[in-house]
Amino acid sequence: MTETQRLIRLLLNFRDDRDWDQFHNAKDLAVALNIESAELLELFLWKNPEEADKKRVAEELADVLAYALLIAEKYGLDVSEIVTEKVKRNGEKYPVNKARGSAKKYDEL
Amino acid sequence: MTETQRLIRLLLNFRDDRDWDQFHNAKDLAVALNIESAELLELFLWKNPEEADKKRVAEELADVLAYALLIAEKYGLDVSEIVTEKVKRNGEKYPVNKARGSAKKYDEL
Amino acid sequence: MTETQRLIRLLLNFRDDRDWDQFHNAKDLAVALNIESAELLELFLWKNPEEADKKRVAEELADVLAYALLIAEKYGLDVSEIVTEKVKRNGEKYPVNKARGSAKKYDEL
Amino acid sequence: MTETQRLIRLLLNFRDDRDWDQFHNAKDLAVALNIESAELLELFLWKNPEEADKKRVAEELADVLAYALLIAEKYGLDVSEIVTEKVKRNGEKYPVNKARGSAKKYDEL
């Protein structure tokens, strides 16, 4: 088992011990992911970029990762495969010679 | 190297090839994570829970995971460690006997 | 009719002309609001605070306001009343003598 | 003064009494808007579309509206004007004969 498969196993056990599968449809998992992402973002509100508290970042980021992993599991997606595939696609949208040093979106490059 | 360490390495190489480190402060990474989470959520808008397109879910979820991993790297956080630690804490907030079959928040249990 | 009542009337006419009431349940309206808020936020990504394009801010902000107004209508809420009421409550959570010049949350003041 | 101009006046007074103008740059206001939108969305998490608590919806929606109005003020935008303009543009993207009864995005119609 890879690292993310092991984490997913842990999350599924946690869920099933509480009989929460009934709530975890894909749409609500995506809603939960957005809520946790916003809680992470709140740690940076009204602050300079690096002023967030590391301990709280760790906690909120863990929640984000947990829901992202549960969504991967729901769709039978392999984390390494989809991230690797996306990096390859982004490499085509953002070729080094055009994108270097620029924060523009690919359709504005 | 674990799976997530390998993915982070891939993402850092992609970033550094494009000299994007200058844009990737922690706050903007958290902003980017929120934007990608919302793009994932959009696949479910006006739909029943399981009607999203799997291929597009894979792509948007990959973006979410990419920014989550870059934030972990920015703070020197180990993915397995923070998720495992959070599951343990959630086990205390949501004990099986109280939380079983309930969608209530821990402070309403 | 007040200004927001007039805008709500405009939005309802637009919706009903397209027979979209069937999609506009309160939860999906809240999902749509989050998506539009993220699209507004994207205009600031990787940028300094005041570098967003004003014309695009106007467009995305209009979408945010439209969904916020439709949610108010869905619950029969009066915009002026709920905002005025919230400002009053925030005045109690953030008394001037404690909150002045501080970006802390009320529970940390 | 229109209704939204009056509400903006109220919000600016609240802000200035606390000397918070220094924190309210456009980017952080957009971040705050996203956080409040997510708090509104949380009231619907794991629930059927109409099960959110109306009183809490009113409170969170008021926060969303407050930040939306502050962003409008920051850019000197008139709420009625931008919403009316956007409805007109959406009428072109979603013509009644094509969009009627469909939840598809304009680029898929």
Side-chain angles (χ1 to χ4, degrees):
Chain A
M1 268 210 286
T2 69
E3 182 186 7
T4 59
Q5 286 167 345
R6 199 162 32 75
L7 290 174
I8 287 172
R9 176 59 36 210
L10 184 72
L11 294 164
L12 291 181
N13 285 343
F14 185 90
R15 181 196 75 185
D16 291 338
D17 283 350
R18 283 154 189 78
D19 199 17
W20 283 355
D21 188 28
Q22 59 185 310
F23 306 118
H24 282 204
N25 63 80
K27 186 170 183 170
D28 273 305
L29 288 174
V31 166
L33 174 67
N34 272 263
I35 293 164
E36 298 299 343
S37 295
E39 291 185 2
L40 175 60
L41 185 56
E42 190 175 3
L43 304 178
F44 298 90
L45 182 63
W46 317 128
K47 293 187 181 150
N48 289 320
E50 313 298 342
E51 290 180 356
D53 180 75
K54 181 181 169 174
K55 201 167 163 315
R56 294 185 63 189
V57 167
E59 286 175 26
E60 299 299 348
L61 183 59
D63 285 332
V64 168
L65 285 161
Y67 284 115
L69 292 172
L70 285 168
I71 294 170
E73 192 277 336
K74 181 67 79 179
Y75 285 91
L77 298 166
D78 179 83
V79 166
S80 285
E81 192 177 307
I82 62 173
V83 173
T84 305
E85 178 61 30
K86 194 66 203 286
V87 169
K88 198 191 292 180
R89 290 185 56 147
N90 280 348
E92 293 160 13
K93 283 159 79 177
Y94 296 94
V96 169
N97 65 324
K98 277 184 153 183
R100 194 168 175 82
S102 164
K104 285 188 185 161
K105 267 192 101 162
Y106 65 94
D107 51 4
E108 295 171 348
L109 278 177
Chain B
M1 268 210 287
T2 71
E3 182 187 7
T4 59
Q5 286 167 343
R6 199 161 32 74
L7 291 173
I8 287 171
R9 177 57 38 208
L10 184 72
L11 294 164
L12 292 181
N13 285 343
F14 185 90
R15 181 196 73 186
D16 291 339
D17 283 350
R18 284 155 188 78
D19 199 16
W20 283 355
D21 188 28
Q22 59 186 310
F23 306 118
H24 281 204
N25 63 79
K27 186 170 182 170
D28 273 306
L29 289 174
V31 166
L33 174 67
N34 271 263
I35 293 165
E36 298 300 343
S37 295
E39 290 186 2
L40 176 60
L41 185 57
E42 190 176 4
L43 303 178
F44 298 90
L45 182 63
W46 318 128
K47 292 187 182 150
N48 289 320
E50 312 300 343
E51 289 179 356
D53 180 75
K54 180 179 169 175
K55 200 167 163 317
R56 295 184 63 190
V57 167
E59 287 174 27
E60 300 299 349
L61 183 59
D63 285 332
V64 168
L65 285 161
Y67 285 115
L69 291 173
L70 285 168
I71 294 170
E73 192 276 336
K74 181 69 76 180
Y75 286 91
L77 297 166
D78 179 84
V79 167
S80 284
E81 191 176 309
I82 63 173
V83 173
T84 304
E85 178 61 30
K86 193 65 202 284
V87 169
K88 198 191 291 181
R89 290 185 56 148
N90 280 347
E92 292 160 13
K93 281 159 81 176
Y94 295 95
V96 170
N97 64 323
K98 276 183 154 183
R100 194 170 174 80
S102 164
K104 287 187 185 162
K105 268 192 99 162
Y106 66 93
D107 52 4
E108 293 171 348
L109 278 177
Chain C
M1 270 210 286
T2 70
E3 182 187 7
T4 59
Q5 286 167 344
R6 200 161 30 76
L7 290 173
I8 287 171
R9 177 56 40 209
L10 184 72
L11 294 164
L12 292 180
N13 285 344
F14 185 90
R15 180 196 74 184
D16 292 339
D17 283 349
R18 284 153 189 80
D19 200 17
W20 283 355
D21 188 28
Q22 58 186 312
F23 307 118
H24 282 204
N25 62 80
K27 186 170 183 170
D28 273 304
L29 289 174
V31 166
L33 174 67
N34 272 262
I35 293 164
E36 299 299 344
S37 296
E39 291 184 2
L40 176 59
L41 185 57
E42 189 175 4
L43 304 177
F44 298 90
L45 182 64
W46 318 129
K47 292 186 182 151
N48 289 320
E50 312 299 342
E51 290 179 356
D53 180 75
K54 181 180 169 174
K55 202 169 162 316
R56 295 185 63 190
V57 167
E59 286 175 28
E60 300 299 348
L61 184 59
D63 285 332
V64 168
L65 285 161
Y67 285 115
L69 292 173
L70 285 169
I71 294 170
E73 191 277 335
K74 181 68 78 179
Y75 285 91
L77 298 166
D78 180 83
V79 166
S80 284
E81 193 177 308
I82 63 172
V83 174
T84 305
E85 179 60 30
K86 194 66 203 285
V87 169
K88 198 191 294 180
R89 291 185 55 147
N90 281 346
E92 292 160 14
K93 282 159 80 177
Y94 296 94
V96 169
N97 64 324
K98 277 183 152 182
R100 194 169 174 82
S102 163
K104 286 189 185 161
K105 269 194 98 161
Y106 66 94
D107 51 4
E108 295 171 348
L109 277 177
Chain D
M1 268 209 287
T2 69
E3 183 188 5
T4 59
Q5 286 168 343
R6 200 163 30 76
L7 290 173
I8 286 171
R9 177 59 36 212
L10 184 71
L11 294 164
L12 291 180
N13 286 343
F14 185 90
R15 180 196 74 184
D16 291 339
D17 283 349
R18 284 155 189 80
D19 198 16
W20 282 355
D21 188 28
Q22 58 186 310
F23 307 117
H24 281 204
N25 63 79
K27 185 169 183 170
D28 273 306
L29 288 175
V31 166
L33 175 67
N34 271 263
I35 293 164
E36 298 301 342
S37 295
E39 290 184 4
L40 176 59
L41 185 57
E42 190 176 4
L43 303 178
F44 298 90
L45 181 63
W46 319 128
K47 291 187 183 152
N48 288 318
E50 311 299 343
E51 290 180 356
D53 181 75
K54 181 180 169 175
K55 202 167 163 317
R56 294 185 63 190
V57 167
E59 287 174 26
E60 300 298 349
L61 184 59
D63 285 332
V64 168
L65 286 161
Y67 285 115
L69 292 172
L70 285 169
I71 294 169
E73 192 277 336
K74 180 69 75 179
Y75 286 90
L77 298 166
D78 179 82
V79 167
S80 285
E81 192 177 309
I82 62 172
V83 173
T84 305
E85 178 60 31
K86 193 66 202 284
V87 168
K88 199 191 291 180
R89 291 185 55 147
N90 281 346
E92 292 159 14
K93 282 159 80 176
Y94 296 94
V96 169
N97 64 325
K98 276 183 153 182
R100 194 169 175 80
S102 164
K104 287 189 184 159
K105 268 192 101 162
Y106 66 93
D107 51 5
E108 295 170 348
L109 277 178

